[in-house]
Structure formats: C-alpha cells, structure tokens
Amino acid sequence: METVAKGAAQAAVTGNTAQPGTGSATPTGTGTDSGRVTWTDTGTESVRRTRTGRVAEAAAGKSTAPAASCRAARPRADALRNRERIVSAARELFVEFGPDVALDDVARRAGVGNATLYRNFPDRAALTHEVVLAVTSRITLRAEEAVAAESDPFAALSRFVHAAADERIGALCPMISGVFDKDHPDLLAERDRLEEAVAGLVSRAQSAGRLRTDIAVGDVLVALSQLTRPLPGIACQGIDRFTHRHLQLFLDGLATPARSELPGSAATLEDLRRS
C-alpha cells in the first residue's frame, strides 16, 4: 500500500494519472512542467527519471514545445495551391500581354482576391521573379529530357522546341526586354543551366550535320519566344492551334541542307544580354 501511495503521489506531481493497482502512468499534460510527452511508462521510478530528464533539458536550453507548434509554420495546402494558381495565371498573361499586365487581371485569371495575390507577392517584381524562375527551370528540364529521349540530335532539338512552347517560353520576355532585374543569383543560376542545355542541343545537332551552321543559340531562343506569343497587346486564346505548326516550319528551316543564305550574323547569347 505504501508503494502504491508513493506512486500516486509521484504521478500527481508530474501531472500523470496512475492506473490503480498497476503503477502505470500516462501523461495528461496538466502538470506545471508538462510539455511534449509521447510515452506511457510503468512504475514510479520511470516517472521520476522522466521528470528529472525533462527538467535537465529545460535547464540546458532545449525546447520542450509541442511538435504541433513547429508544424504550424508550414504553409497550408490551400495557400500553396493559391500561390501556384497565381504563378500559372501570370505565366499565361505574360505570354499574352507581356510583363506589364495589370496585377488585378492576374488575380482575376487565377480566381483569387487581390489580397491573396499581394500576400504572396507584395509587388510586380516579386511575381515576375517567381514566374521567370519557374518557367526557366521547367524549360531546362524539358531540354534535359529531350536529350535523354532522342538519340538523333536534331530530333532532340525538335522535341525541346515544341516542349518549350508548351511550357510558355514566351513568359521569359522580361529577360529579353530588359524591364526585369536579371542579376538575382537564383535567376542567374537557372539562366546558366538553360543556356548550357540549349547550347548543348544546338552544338550536337550541328556536329551531326543535321542543323545548319549559320545559326546560334540566340536565334533559337528568340524565334521560340516570338513564335509562341500573340501580337503585342492582342489576346489570342487560340494561339496554341497555330504555334506548333509554325514551330515545325521554323524547324524545317533550321535543318540541313540550308536552302537560303541568312541575312546578318548568328545571334549569340551575348547578343541577347546586350539587347
């Protein structure tokens, strides 16, 4: 009886409830030092050791806050979906109208309120940054996939061109037009990855004798951007029905043997940065 009484007293001190006749203690979280407790133990000595260890942790400066408080900082699923919808809508509108499209139109296309848009992206620069970063990364992935999927270098280039159109490469117009800060470290890293991937596609196709040699990477990227966008200021929702036809005509013009002499000189990546 004396042992049971001691066990009950220990459980009361630690905020636990003893099971009669067994000495088991299950944390209730009501004691003065109750924190994250995930165990059920048996015997008063286990209760005493656990309590002592928790006090020692607190003295050492270790957090005993509930795990739920850490999880609370993660964005909710609906918040993430809203952010993705905003970026997707902005990507489409950048293609249709350019990067100066009204942010109210972006919110409307995304199906969210203006407050939700500005909560995610406080200004146009933040939204443009996210769109360019996302599109650049996805297009680079498509270039890498084309290399892996096609043994013929020109077929790989063709596959990439059509895939880049589907990823809305025209949304990268801020990187060409100069109205966007292109020197952010994240953007520079993604741009370098994209340029390296496309340069590899072009180089391999030329080395195989399948791609005319009087063009350069800049020619491919500029043509892609122009052929995948409607005329400035004109929303053309049905442009996709023409895009891939025109891109195929473009690819036919790139293939060897060249059927004409191109005016001017090949457009390099450096030309694009200076423009």
PDB file of all heavy atoms in Angstrom, residues 114-143:
ATOM      1  N   ASN A 114      -7.456  40.064 -54.722  1.00  0.00           N
ATOM      2  CA  ASN A 114      -6.237  40.867 -54.766  1.00  0.00           C
ATOM      3  C   ASN A 114      -5.411  40.723 -53.489  1.00  0.00           C
ATOM      4  O   ASN A 114      -4.177  40.718 -53.532  1.00  0.00           O
ATOM      5  CB  ASN A 114      -6.574  42.345 -54.991  1.00  0.00           C
ATOM      6  CG  ASN A 114      -7.031  42.621 -56.406  1.00  0.00           C
ATOM      7  OD1 ASN A 114      -7.020  41.728 -57.253  1.00  0.00           O
ATOM      8  ND2 ASN A 114      -7.454  43.850 -56.681  1.00  0.00           N
ATOM      9  N   ALA A 115      -6.102  40.596 -52.363  1.00  0.00           N
ATOM     10  CA  ALA A 115      -5.383  40.472 -51.094  1.00  0.00           C
ATOM     11  C   ALA A 115      -4.549  39.197 -51.075  1.00  0.00           C
ATOM     12  O   ALA A 115      -3.411  39.188 -50.575  1.00  0.00           O
ATOM     13  CB  ALA A 115      -6.372  40.471 -49.933  1.00  0.00           C
ATOM     14  N   THR A 116      -5.084  38.117 -51.638  1.00  0.00           N
ATOM     15  CA  THR A 116      -4.333  36.864 -51.692  1.00  0.00           C
ATOM     16  C   THR A 116      -3.109  37.010 -52.576  1.00  0.00           C
ATOM     17  O   THR A 116      -2.018  36.521 -52.248  1.00  0.00           O
ATOM     18  CB  THR A 116      -5.226  35.733 -52.233  1.00  0.00           C
ATOM     19  OG1 THR A 116      -6.334  35.556 -51.346  1.00  0.00           O
ATOM     20  CG2 THR A 116      -4.456  34.423 -52.329  1.00  0.00           C
ATOM     21  N   LEU A 117      -3.271  37.685 -53.705  1.00  0.00           N
ATOM     22  CA  LEU A 117      -2.124  37.891 -54.599  1.00  0.00           C
ATOM     23  C   LEU A 117      -1.021  38.672 -53.891  1.00  0.00           C
ATOM     24  O   LEU A 117       0.152  38.271 -53.911  1.00  0.00           O
ATOM     25  CB  LEU A 117      -2.563  38.619 -55.864  1.00  0.00           C
ATOM     26  CG  LEU A 117      -1.482  38.778 -56.948  1.00  0.00           C
ATOM     27  CD1 LEU A 117      -2.107  38.773 -58.348  1.00  0.00           C
ATOM     28  CD2 LEU A 117      -0.677  40.070 -56.778  1.00  0.00           C
ATOM     29  N   TYR A 118      -1.395  39.789 -53.261  1.00  0.00           N
ATOM     30  CA  TYR A 118      -0.373  40.629 -52.629  1.00  0.00           C
ATOM     31  C   TYR A 118       0.196  39.998 -51.366  1.00  0.00           C
ATOM     32  O   TYR A 118       1.312  40.342 -50.965  1.00  0.00           O
ATOM     33  CB  TYR A 118      -0.949  42.020 -52.326  1.00  0.00           C
ATOM     34  CG  TYR A 118      -1.090  42.871 -53.561  1.00  0.00           C
ATOM     35  CD1 TYR A 118      -2.340  43.123 -54.122  1.00  0.00           C
ATOM     36  CD2 TYR A 118       0.034  43.409 -54.187  1.00  0.00           C
ATOM     37  CE1 TYR A 118      -2.472  43.892 -55.260  1.00  0.00           C
ATOM     38  CE2 TYR A 118      -0.086  44.181 -55.328  1.00  0.00           C
ATOM     39  CZ  TYR A 118      -1.332  44.420 -55.861  1.00  0.00           C
ATOM     40  OH  TYR A 118      -1.455  45.175 -56.997  1.00  0.00           O
ATOM     41  N   ARG A 119      -0.540  39.092 -50.758  1.00  0.00           N
ATOM     42  CA  ARG A 119       0.007  38.377 -49.608  1.00  0.00           C
ATOM     43  C   ARG A 119       1.135  37.447 -50.054  1.00  0.00           C
ATOM     44  O   ARG A 119       2.108  37.235 -49.334  1.00  0.00           O
ATOM     45  CB  ARG A 119      -1.100  37.582 -48.909  1.00  0.00           C
ATOM     46  CG  ARG A 119      -0.659  36.923 -47.615  1.00  0.00           C
ATOM     47  CD  ARG A 119      -1.846  36.541 -46.744  1.00  0.00           C
ATOM     48  NE  ARG A 119      -2.816  35.717 -47.438  1.00  0.00           N
ATOM     49  CZ  ARG A 119      -4.035  36.121 -47.769  1.00  0.00           C
ATOM     50  NH1 ARG A 119      -4.440  37.357 -47.478  1.00  0.00           N
ATOM     51  NH2 ARG A 119      -4.865  35.310 -48.384  1.00  0.00           N
ATOM     52  N   ASN A 120       1.017  36.901 -51.241  1.00  0.00           N
ATOM     53  CA  ASN A 120       2.051  36.029 -51.789  1.00  0.00           C
ATOM     54  C   ASN A 120       3.151  36.803 -52.490  1.00  0.00           C
ATOM     55  O   ASN A 120       4.326  36.444 -52.396  1.00  0.00           O
ATOM     56  CB  ASN A 120       1.427  35.026 -52.768  1.00  0.00           C
ATOM     57  CG  ASN A 120       0.704  33.896 -52.092  1.00  0.00           C
ATOM     58  OD1 ASN A 120       1.307  32.893 -51.713  1.00  0.00           O
ATOM     59  ND2 ASN A 120      -0.607  34.048 -51.901  1.00  0.00           N
ATOM     60  N   PHE A 121       2.779  37.855 -53.204  1.00  0.00           N
ATOM     61  CA  PHE A 121       3.740  38.631 -53.979  1.00  0.00           C
ATOM     62  C   PHE A 121       3.465  40.115 -53.749  1.00  0.00           C
ATOM     63  O   PHE A 121       2.528  40.670 -54.327  1.00  0.00           O
ATOM     64  CB  PHE A 121       3.616  38.291 -55.473  1.00  0.00           C
ATOM     65  CG  PHE A 121       3.762  36.829 -55.768  1.00  0.00           C
ATOM     66  CD1 PHE A 121       2.650  36.035 -56.036  1.00  0.00           C
ATOM     67  CD2 PHE A 121       5.010  36.223 -55.741  1.00  0.00           C
ATOM     68  CE1 PHE A 121       2.782  34.679 -56.281  1.00  0.00           C
ATOM     69  CE2 PHE A 121       5.149  34.864 -55.986  1.00  0.00           C
ATOM     70  CZ  PHE A 121       4.036  34.098 -56.262  1.00  0.00           C
ATOM     71  N   PRO A 122       4.248  40.751 -52.888  1.00  0.00           N
ATOM     72  CA  PRO A 122       3.955  42.131 -52.488  1.00  0.00           C
ATOM     73  C   PRO A 122       4.034  43.145 -53.615  1.00  0.00           C
ATOM     74  O   PRO A 122       3.452  44.227 -53.523  1.00  0.00           O
ATOM     75  CB  PRO A 122       5.007  42.421 -51.412  1.00  0.00           C
ATOM     76  CG  PRO A 122       6.091  41.410 -51.640  1.00  0.00           C
ATOM     77  CD  PRO A 122       5.416  40.193 -52.175  1.00  0.00           C
ATOM     78  N   ASP A 123       4.755  42.823 -54.711  1.00  0.00           N
ATOM     79  CA  ASP A 123       4.836  43.763 -55.820  1.00  0.00           C
ATOM     80  C   ASP A 123       5.079  42.999 -57.125  1.00  0.00           C
ATOM     81  O   ASP A 123       5.248  41.779 -57.136  1.00  0.00           O
ATOM     82  CB  ASP A 123       5.957  44.797 -55.592  1.00  0.00           C
ATOM     83  CG  ASP A 123       7.298  44.155 -55.268  1.00  0.00           C
ATOM     84  OD1 ASP A 123       7.585  43.062 -55.805  1.00  0.00           O
ATOM     85  OD2 ASP A 123       8.070  44.733 -54.479  1.00  0.00           O
ATOM     86  N   ARG A 124       5.082  43.739 -58.222  1.00  0.00           N
ATOM     87  CA  ARG A 124       5.249  43.126 -59.544  1.00  0.00           C
ATOM     88  C   ARG A 124       6.600  42.435 -59.671  1.00  0.00           C
ATOM     89  O   ARG A 124       6.709  41.365 -60.290  1.00  0.00           O
ATOM     90  CB  ARG A 124       5.110  44.204 -60.627  1.00  0.00           C
ATOM     91  CG  ARG A 124       5.234  43.663 -62.053  1.00  0.00           C
ATOM     92  CD  ARG A 124       5.112  44.790 -63.062  1.00  0.00           C
ATOM     93  NE  ARG A 124       3.845  45.470 -62.901  1.00  0.00           N
ATOM     94  CZ  ARG A 124       2.708  45.047 -63.446  1.00  0.00           C
ATOM     95  NH1 ARG A 124       2.703  43.932 -64.170  1.00  0.00           N
ATOM     96  NH2 ARG A 124       1.594  45.717 -63.273  1.00  0.00           N
ATOM     97  N   ALA A 125       7.632  43.031 -59.099  1.00  0.00           N
ATOM     98  CA  ALA A 125       8.962  42.446 -59.207  1.00  0.00           C
ATOM     99  C   ALA A 125       9.008  41.052 -58.584  1.00  0.00           C
ATOM    100  O   ALA A 125       9.622  40.136 -59.132  1.00  0.00           O
ATOM    101  CB  ALA A 125       9.998  43.358 -58.545  1.00  0.00           C
ATOM    102  N   ALA A 126       8.346  40.882 -57.440  1.00  0.00           N
ATOM    103  CA  ALA A 126       8.350  39.576 -56.775  1.00  0.00           C
ATOM    104  C   ALA A 126       7.624  38.529 -57.609  1.00  0.00           C
ATOM    105  O   ALA A 126       8.079  37.388 -57.733  1.00  0.00           O
ATOM    106  CB  ALA A 126       7.697  39.704 -55.396  1.00  0.00           C
ATOM    107  N   LEU A 127       6.508  38.916 -58.203  1.00  0.00           N
ATOM    108  CA  LEU A 127       5.753  37.978 -59.037  1.00  0.00           C
ATOM    109  C   LEU A 127       6.531  37.634 -60.305  1.00  0.00           C
ATOM    110  O   LEU A 127       6.619  36.467 -60.703  1.00  0.00           O
ATOM    111  CB  LEU A 127       4.397  38.573 -59.398  1.00  0.00           C
ATOM    112  CG  LEU A 127       3.521  37.731 -60.327  1.00  0.00           C
ATOM    113  CD1 LEU A 127       3.258  36.354 -59.726  1.00  0.00           C
ATOM    114  CD2 LEU A 127       2.205  38.456 -60.612  1.00  0.00           C
ATOM    115  N   THR A 128       7.102  38.639 -60.933  1.00  0.00           N
ATOM    116  CA  THR A 128       7.866  38.408 -62.157  1.00  0.00           C
ATOM    117  C   THR A 128       9.058  37.495 -61.884  1.00  0.00           C
ATOM    118  O   THR A 128       9.366  36.588 -62.666  1.00  0.00           O
ATOM    119  CB  THR A 128       8.358  39.737 -62.751  1.00  0.00           C
ATOM    120  OG1 THR A 128       7.248  40.600 -62.966  1.00  0.00           O
ATOM    121  CG2 THR A 128       9.079  39.520 -64.069  1.00  0.00           C
ATOM    122  N   HIS A 129       9.722  37.719 -60.777  1.00  0.00           N
ATOM    123  CA  HIS A 129      10.845  36.868 -60.378  1.00  0.00           C
ATOM    124  C   HIS A 129      10.405  35.408 -60.300  1.00  0.00           C
ATOM    125  O   HIS A 129      11.073  34.515 -60.831  1.00  0.00           O
ATOM    126  CB  HIS A 129      11.373  37.339 -59.024  1.00  0.00           C
ATOM    127  CG  HIS A 129      12.398  36.419 -58.415  1.00  0.00           C
ATOM    128  ND1 HIS A 129      13.749  36.610 -58.571  1.00  0.00           N
ATOM    129  CD2 HIS A 129      12.250  35.295 -57.657  1.00  0.00           C
ATOM    130  CE1 HIS A 129      14.400  35.638 -57.933  1.00  0.00           C
ATOM    131  NE2 HIS A 129      13.512  34.835 -57.378  1.00  0.00           N
ATOM    132  N   GLU A 130       9.281  35.166 -59.633  1.00  0.00           N
ATOM    133  CA  GLU A 130       8.814  33.797 -59.434  1.00  0.00           C
ATOM    134  C   GLU A 130       8.424  33.145 -60.762  1.00  0.00           C
ATOM    135  O   GLU A 130       8.725  31.966 -60.997  1.00  0.00           O
ATOM    136  CB  GLU A 130       7.617  33.795 -58.480  1.00  0.00           C
ATOM    137  CG  GLU A 130       7.152  32.415 -58.064  1.00  0.00           C
ATOM    138  CD  GLU A 130       8.133  31.720 -57.138  1.00  0.00           C
ATOM    139  OE1 GLU A 130       9.007  32.404 -56.571  1.00  0.00           O
ATOM    140  OE2 GLU A 130       8.021  30.493 -56.979  1.00  0.00           O
ATOM    141  N   VAL A 131       7.770  33.902 -61.630  1.00  0.00           N
ATOM    142  CA  VAL A 131       7.352  33.350 -62.922  1.00  0.00           C
ATOM    143  C   VAL A 131       8.569  32.995 -63.772  1.00  0.00           C
ATOM    144  O   VAL A 131       8.662  31.898 -64.333  1.00  0.00           O
ATOM    145  CB  VAL A 131       6.453  34.349 -63.674  1.00  0.00           C
ATOM    146  CG1 VAL A 131       6.203  33.876 -65.107  1.00  0.00           C
ATOM    147  CG2 VAL A 131       5.126  34.525 -62.940  1.00  0.00           C
ATOM    148  N   VAL A 132       9.509  33.908 -63.886  1.00  0.00           N
ATOM    149  CA  VAL A 132      10.696  33.666 -64.704  1.00  0.00           C
ATOM    150  C   VAL A 132      11.503  32.490 -64.161  1.00  0.00           C
ATOM    151  O   VAL A 132      11.979  31.633 -64.912  1.00  0.00           O
ATOM    152  CB  VAL A 132      11.565  34.938 -64.785  1.00  0.00           C
ATOM    153  CG1 VAL A 132      12.905  34.647 -65.448  1.00  0.00           C
ATOM    154  CG2 VAL A 132      10.831  36.036 -65.547  1.00  0.00           C
ATOM    155  N   LEU A 133      11.627  32.427 -62.838  1.00  0.00           N
ATOM    156  CA  LEU A 133      12.378  31.334 -62.219  1.00  0.00           C
ATOM    157  C   LEU A 133      11.705  29.990 -62.498  1.00  0.00           C
ATOM    158  O   LEU A 133      12.366  29.011 -62.878  1.00  0.00           O
ATOM    159  CB  LEU A 133      12.481  31.578 -60.715  1.00  0.00           C
ATOM    160  CG  LEU A 133      13.428  30.679 -59.930  1.00  0.00           C
ATOM    161  CD1 LEU A 133      14.866  30.876 -60.383  1.00  0.00           C
ATOM    162  CD2 LEU A 133      13.306  30.969 -58.434  1.00  0.00           C
ATOM    163  N   ALA A 134      10.394  29.941 -62.346  1.00  0.00           N
ATOM    164  CA  ALA A 134       9.664  28.685 -62.544  1.00  0.00           C
ATOM    165  C   ALA A 134       9.718  28.238 -64.002  1.00  0.00           C
ATOM    166  O   ALA A 134       9.975  27.067 -64.301  1.00  0.00           O
ATOM    167  CB  ALA A 134       8.214  28.852 -62.093  1.00  0.00           C
ATOM    168  N   VAL A 135       9.482  29.169 -64.928  1.00  0.00           N
ATOM    169  CA  VAL A 135       9.472  28.812 -66.345  1.00  0.00           C
ATOM    170  C   VAL A 135      10.865  28.393 -66.812  1.00  0.00           C
ATOM    171  O   VAL A 135      11.024  27.405 -67.539  1.00  0.00           O
ATOM    172  CB  VAL A 135       8.943  29.986 -67.196  1.00  0.00           C
ATOM    173  CG1 VAL A 135       9.090  29.689 -68.688  1.00  0.00           C
ATOM    174  CG2 VAL A 135       7.483  30.263 -66.863  1.00  0.00           C
ATOM    175  N   THR A 136      11.882  29.116 -66.390  1.00  0.00           N
ATOM    176  CA  THR A 136      13.248  28.775 -66.779  1.00  0.00           C
ATOM    177  C   THR A 136      13.620  27.374 -66.299  1.00  0.00           C
ATOM    178  O   THR A 136      14.191  26.575 -67.051  1.00  0.00           O
ATOM    179  CB  THR A 136      14.243  29.795 -66.199  1.00  0.00           C
ATOM    180  OG1 THR A 136      13.887  31.107 -66.630  1.00  0.00           O
ATOM    181  CG2 THR A 136      15.658  29.507 -66.669  1.00  0.00           C
ATOM    182  N   SER A 137      13.284  27.073 -65.065  1.00  0.00           N
ATOM    183  CA  SER A 137      13.607  25.764 -64.514  1.00  0.00           C
ATOM    184  C   SER A 137      12.892  24.647 -65.267  1.00  0.00           C
ATOM    185  O   SER A 137      13.485  23.615 -65.589  1.00  0.00           O
ATOM    186  CB  SER A 137      13.226  25.736 -63.024  1.00  0.00           C
ATOM    187  OG  SER A 137      13.455  24.458 -62.473  1.00  0.00           O
ATOM    188  N   ARG A 138      11.625  24.842 -65.569  1.00  0.00           N
ATOM    189  CA  ARG A 138      10.852  23.806 -66.258  1.00  0.00           C
ATOM    190  C   ARG A 138      11.345  23.603 -67.689  1.00  0.00           C
ATOM    191  O   ARG A 138      11.396  22.471 -68.181  1.00  0.00           O
ATOM    192  CB  ARG A 138       9.366  24.171 -66.245  1.00  0.00           C
ATOM    193  CG  ARG A 138       8.735  24.055 -64.865  1.00  0.00           C
ATOM    194  CD  ARG A 138       7.296  24.527 -64.882  1.00  0.00           C
ATOM    195  NE  ARG A 138       6.461  23.683 -65.713  1.00  0.00           N
ATOM    196  CZ  ARG A 138       5.832  22.600 -65.279  1.00  0.00           C
ATOM    197  NH1 ARG A 138       5.934  22.241 -64.007  1.00  0.00           N
ATOM    198  NH2 ARG A 138       5.086  21.876 -66.085  1.00  0.00           N
ATOM    199  N   ILE A 139      11.717  24.670 -68.353  1.00  0.00           N
ATOM    200  CA  ILE A 139      12.194  24.540 -69.735  1.00  0.00           C
ATOM    201  C   ILE A 139      13.554  23.837 -69.765  1.00  0.00           C
ATOM    202  O   ILE A 139      13.828  23.026 -70.659  1.00  0.00           O
ATOM    203  CB  ILE A 139      12.264  25.919 -70.414  1.00  0.00           C
ATOM    204  CG1 ILE A 139      10.848  26.473 -70.596  1.00  0.00           C
ATOM    205  CG2 ILE A 139      12.968  25.837 -71.757  1.00  0.00           C
ATOM    206  CD1 ILE A 139      10.807  27.893 -71.127  1.00  0.00           C
ATOM    207  N   THR A 140      14.397  24.127 -68.800  1.00  0.00           N
ATOM    208  CA  THR A 140      15.680  23.424 -68.706  1.00  0.00           C
ATOM    209  C   THR A 140      15.449  21.930 -68.538  1.00  0.00           C
ATOM    210  O   THR A 140      16.130  21.104 -69.157  1.00  0.00           O
ATOM    211  CB  THR A 140      16.503  23.960 -67.525  1.00  0.00           C
ATOM    212  OG1 THR A 140      16.727  25.363 -67.700  1.00  0.00           O
ATOM    213  CG2 THR A 140      17.854  23.256 -67.442  1.00  0.00           C
ATOM    214  N   LEU A 141      14.495  21.576 -67.709  1.00  0.00           N
ATOM    215  CA  LEU A 141      14.160  20.167 -67.507  1.00  0.00           C
ATOM    216  C   LEU A 141      13.708  19.529 -68.818  1.00  0.00           C
ATOM    217  O   LEU A 141      14.084  18.387 -69.129  1.00  0.00           O
ATOM    218  CB  LEU A 141      13.078  20.037 -66.443  1.00  0.00           C
ATOM    219  CG  LEU A 141      12.597  18.613 -66.131  1.00  0.00           C
ATOM    220  CD1 LEU A 141      13.745  17.765 -65.603  1.00  0.00           C
ATOM    221  CD2 LEU A 141      11.453  18.663 -65.115  1.00  0.00           C
ATOM    222  N   ARG A 142      12.928  20.240 -69.604  1.00  0.00           N
ATOM    223  CA  ARG A 142      12.473  19.712 -70.896  1.00  0.00           C
ATOM    224  C   ARG A 142      13.651  19.494 -71.852  1.00  0.00           C
ATOM    225  O   ARG A 142      13.656  18.534 -72.630  1.00  0.00           O
ATOM    226  CB  ARG A 142      11.444  20.646 -71.524  1.00  0.00           C
ATOM    227  CG  ARG A 142      10.175  20.798 -70.718  1.00  0.00           C
ATOM    228  CD  ARG A 142       9.416  19.488 -70.605  1.00  0.00           C
ATOM    229  NE  ARG A 142       8.301  19.590 -69.683  1.00  0.00           N
ATOM    230  CZ  ARG A 142       8.344  19.213 -68.421  1.00  0.00           C
ATOM    231  NH1 ARG A 142       9.454  18.669 -67.930  1.00  0.00           N
ATOM    232  NH2 ARG A 142       7.302  19.335 -67.646  1.00  0.00           N
ATOM    233  N   ALA A 143      14.633  20.369 -71.810  1.00  0.00           N
ATOM    234  CA  ALA A 143      15.826  20.196 -72.653  1.00  0.00           C
ATOM    235  C   ALA A 143      16.581  18.933 -72.253  1.00  0.00           C
ATOM    236  O   ALA A 143      17.020  18.157 -73.105  1.00  0.00           O
ATOM    237  CB  ALA A 143      16.733  21.419 -72.544  1.00  0.00           C
TER     238      ALA A 143
END
